[in-house]
Amino acid sequence: MSQWTSDVIRMFAGAASEYRDISGSAALTSEQLLASVAFKSRLHGSQNPRAMLSRAPKSADDLLKAPLLSPPIRVSFCAPVATGAAAVVMATESWWSNRRLPVTELVDQELVSDFSDTFSDTNSGGYSSLCGLTQARVASSRIYHRQRLNPREQLALVELHDCFASNELMLYEALGLADKGCAQQYFSSGRWIDSLNGDGSLYLTGRQVVNPSGGLMSKGHPLGASGVAQCAEISWQHRGLAGRRQVPALDETDSNRWALQHNFGLGSSCAVTLYRRYGSGVLERGQGAKL
């Protein structure tokens, strides 16, 4: 590993330990739980032809055999660095209306950078701020407030920045999907369901499927392209083009079509974006951007 890579791993390992102490949940640093989260992501990724790691391990226990980097993070709990590209076409309503293509509407977005406590001598924000958890909490809560949206009841799909399996767990709480200290319960209460087409499997936690694409854990992490790739996945889901990983709640006949995207980059930039299938009757025409 380069010095930069090892520093990042230690930083996120520190965030997991700090979050464990703050939330009172020792589960956040349980390697067995992290292996289960990574295993879920890899199974989702095995249904994504664009995923870098497209072969799922036989069990979560297989992931515990990987070398330990910085407790509790093992190699198998990390998103592999990758090269890649992604693009989004944004169109006006008039362009779309002449073609009648199925599209996704970008409803709301919040961008948050570092807060002042990140740069203070004491860094009162701790690893939670350095690793973007505070930013994710602030950005998502602003969107939920503006849209009067209950994330646990109204989000059907979430694509989040799972650079490490531990980060996915912490983001369950930061994005309001689980109460403080309850990330383990949120994940462990999930169950496998059939995809919309019936030829794939998806892990449903609460009313959400998190990272049906396989997330960065399976797709790989091409840094600058990662966020747009999340947007592309949500667009494919809304257009019914996700194949074996098609989320049932995003079916055209279902009223619950909200999708949330979270992306983060050290240094720091956090983006949380809300999408909905266009033409659901909830949004006024022309309120958002068409993708």
Side-chain angles (χ1 to χ4, degrees):
M1 293 187 298
S2 68
Q3 185 64 45
W4 164 248
T5 303
S6 61
D7 284 347
V8 170
I9 291 172
R10 284 196 293 266
M11 188 183 303
F12 279 91
S17 298
E18 178 186 81
Y19 217 65
R20 171 200 63 199
D21 298 338
I22 293 174
S23 66
S25 174
L28 285 174
T29 51
S30 162
E31 289 191 35
Q32 187 63 57
L33 177 61
L34 296 180
S36 297
V37 174
F39 181 66
K40 178 269 298 182
S41 298
R42 295 287 300 277
L43 282 178
H44 281 177
S46 69
Q47 301 173 138
N48 185 353
R50 297 176 178 84
M52 177 180 174
L53 302 180
S54 58
R55 181 178 298 177
K58 294 181 179 179
S59 69
D61 289 340
D62 287 346
L63 299 177
L64 292 170
K65 301 173 184 177
L68 184 66
L69 299 175
S70 181
I73 295 177
R74 293 184 177 273
V75 171
S76 53
F77 304 163
C78 305
V81 177
T83 57
V88 168
V89 175
M90 301 184 70
T92 62
E93 187 172 31
S94 60
W95 183 94
W96 169 83
S97 61
N98 292 329
R99 290 162 176 80
R100 295 296 174 184
L101 299 173
V103 292
T104 295
E105 187 150 17
L106 193 160
V107 181
D108 203 346
Q109 185 177 68
E110 187 72 27
L111 305 177
V112 176
S113 189
D114 285 310
F115 297 101
S116 58
D117 59 9
T118 305
F119 304 102
S120 67
D121 292 337
T122 59
N123 183 20
S124 58
Y127 285 110
S128 293
S129 183
L130 286 172
C131 295
L133 300 174
T134 304
Q135 293 90 324
R137 185 177 299 106
V138 171
S140 60
S141 62
R142 288 176 180 172
I143 287 181
Y144 301 151
H145 177 74
R146 284 197 297 263
Q147 300 298 327
R148 299 179 181 179
L149 184 142
N150 182 334
R152 301 179 195 184
E153 295 296 324
Q154 294 175 273
L155 290 179
L157 182 156
V158 177
E159 280 285 325
L160 55 78
H161 190 277
D162 60 330
C163 49
F164 301 96
S166 54
N167 208 50
E168 176 168 336
L169 279 169
M170 293 184 286
L171 283 168
Y172 292 160
E173 299 179 23
L175 295 174
L177 305 178
D179 289 332
K180 183 177 179 179
C182 295
Q184 177 191 21
Q185 294 92 314
Y186 173 77
F187 177 79
S188 299
S189 65
R191 58 188 176 89
W192 288 97
I193 62 171
D194 290 336
S195 67
L196 178 63
N197 301 322
D199 57 355
S201 298
L202 295 164
Y203 194 68
L204 181 69
T205 47
R207 297 189 65 178
Q208 294 82 40
V209 175
V210 177
N211 288 356
S213 66
L216 308 182
M217 293 287 297
S218 294
K219 292 185 300 180
H221 189 7
L223 301 182
S226 294
V228 179
Q230 292 174 321
C231 174
E233 173 67 21
I234 291 173
S235 178
W236 289 323
Q237 290 281 351
H238 277 146
R239 294 161 63 194
L241 301 176
R244 296 177 61 198
R245 63 189 189 281
Q246 185 69 51
V247 175
L250 291 172
D251 181 17
E252 187 175 0
T253 61
D254 198 294
S255 61
N256 184 1
R257 304 189 185 98
W258 294 102
L260 191 78
Q261 173 198 358
H262 161 270
N263 192 30
F264 174 72
L266 288 171
S268 275
S269 175
C270 175
V272 176
T273 310
L274 183 67
Y275 303 86
R276 194 175 180 101
R277 183 186 178 95
Y278 183 63
S280 63
V282 175
L283 298 174
E284 294 295 330
R285 294 174 66 83
Q287 183 175 334
K290 312 302 180 298
L291 305 180

